[in-house]
Amino acid sequence: MSQKEVNYGPLANFLGVWEGESGVDRAPKPQGDKTTEFYEKITFSPVGDVDNAEEQDLVVVHYHQVVTRKSDGKVYHNQTGYWMWDKGSDEVMFSIAIPRGVCVLANGSCEQGGDVNFKVKAQIDDPAYSILQSKFMQERAKTEAFEIDLNLSADTLSYSQTTFLDIYGRKFEHTDTSSLKKKA
């Protein structure tokens, strides 16, 4: 990893601290679906240039997301990972590690104009961009696919994210939507 000046390309505006108060989570429960309103904070930190096998030139941003329920002030979701941009192919990758025994590597593209729009996805049966999960999760709350559509401007980050689950004996789309403002 290089310490020189880094061109973060479409990831440049991520860097910093973002906070939001308008998140909505729709999740499965045995007795029916539940909607939860939440606050969140996402911190994006620079990693820099990463070379893979002397052929792939990535720029990487680390993120840490903490989600807190409005109803009781408890943290109920905490995840970390990386946004990566391949300068050569213009591919975007998003990795997620969730402390429930689930990891995701998604890929896709970004469209750049005044804002940057990222669309990435992963499927459990994709050999490259897939979902890895513990035996418990595979048997009881299996993630079959993941996708996120994220829009990034100078001071606003908004997203719609769907995790496709097989849980409680049914297929379910667990959705999260939110809008955050850049704080630092």
Side-chain angles (χ1 to χ4, degrees):
M1 289 176 230
S2 167
Q3 296 302 318
K4 65 178 175 59
E5 188 68 28
V6 176
N7 172 9
Y8 280 92
L11 306 180
N13 280 343
F14 273 134
L15 299 174
V17 178
W18 299 77
E19 293 180 359
E21 299 181 9
S22 63
V24 177
D25 172 88
R26 185 173 155 262
K29 298 290 179 193
Q31 66 278 15
D33 305 343
K34 180 178 180 183
T35 299
T36 303
E37 293 181 347
F38 62 84
Y39 305 105
E40 69 183 310
K41 179 178 180 179
I42 306 176
T43 303
F44 294 93
S45 306
V47 173
D49 287 317
V50 176
D51 294 328
N52 282 336
E54 299 180 13
E55 294 177 26
Q56 185 182 39
D57 187 14
L58 298 175
V59 290
V60 180
V61 172
H62 175 261
Y63 82 95
H64 179 218
Q65 177 185 28
V66 177
V67 179
T68 305
R69 276 191 297 260
K70 284 185 174 183
S71 64
D72 61 12
K74 291 185 179 180
V75 171
Y76 76 102
H77 189 78
N78 187 323
Q79 72 183 40
T80 191
Y82 298 93
W83 279 94
M84 297 156 275
W85 173 55
D86 183 330
K87 295 177 189 180
S89 69
D90 208 28
E91 174 187 31
V92 176
M93 293 178 281
F94 179 48
S95 69
I96 306 166
I98 304 166
R100 290 190 169 109
V102 179
C103 296
V104 176
L105 179 60
N107 86 313
S109 61
C110 65
E111 294 177 10
Q112 299 182 61
D115 294 352
V116 182
N117 184 254
F118 298 89
K119 292 183 181 189
V120 298
K121 62 183 179 177
Q123 298 267 120
I124 196 164
D125 58 355
D126 186 317
Y129 302 101
S130 192
I131 298 127
L132 179 66
Q133 50 205 319
S134 70
K135 182 178 179 183
F136 177 91
M137 295 301 281
Q138 287 176 356
E139 293 173 354
R140 292 181 179 85
K142 184 178 184 177
T143 299
E144 297 182 333
F146 168 86
E147 60 188 37
I148 186 168
D149 186 349
L150 185 147
N151 187 272
L152 179 64
S153 69
D155 67 347
T156 303
L157 181 157
S158 58
Y159 67 85
S160 177
Q161 167 181 301
T162 305
T163 306
F164 299 86
L165 301 170
D166 184 345
I167 186 171
Y168 307 125
R170 64 187 173 111
K171 304 282 185 179
F172 186 87
E173 293 181 10
H174 175 181
T175 60
D176 292 295
T177 57
S178 189
S179 182
L180 299 91
K181 291 291 185 186
K182 196 169 204 173
K183 299 297 180 183

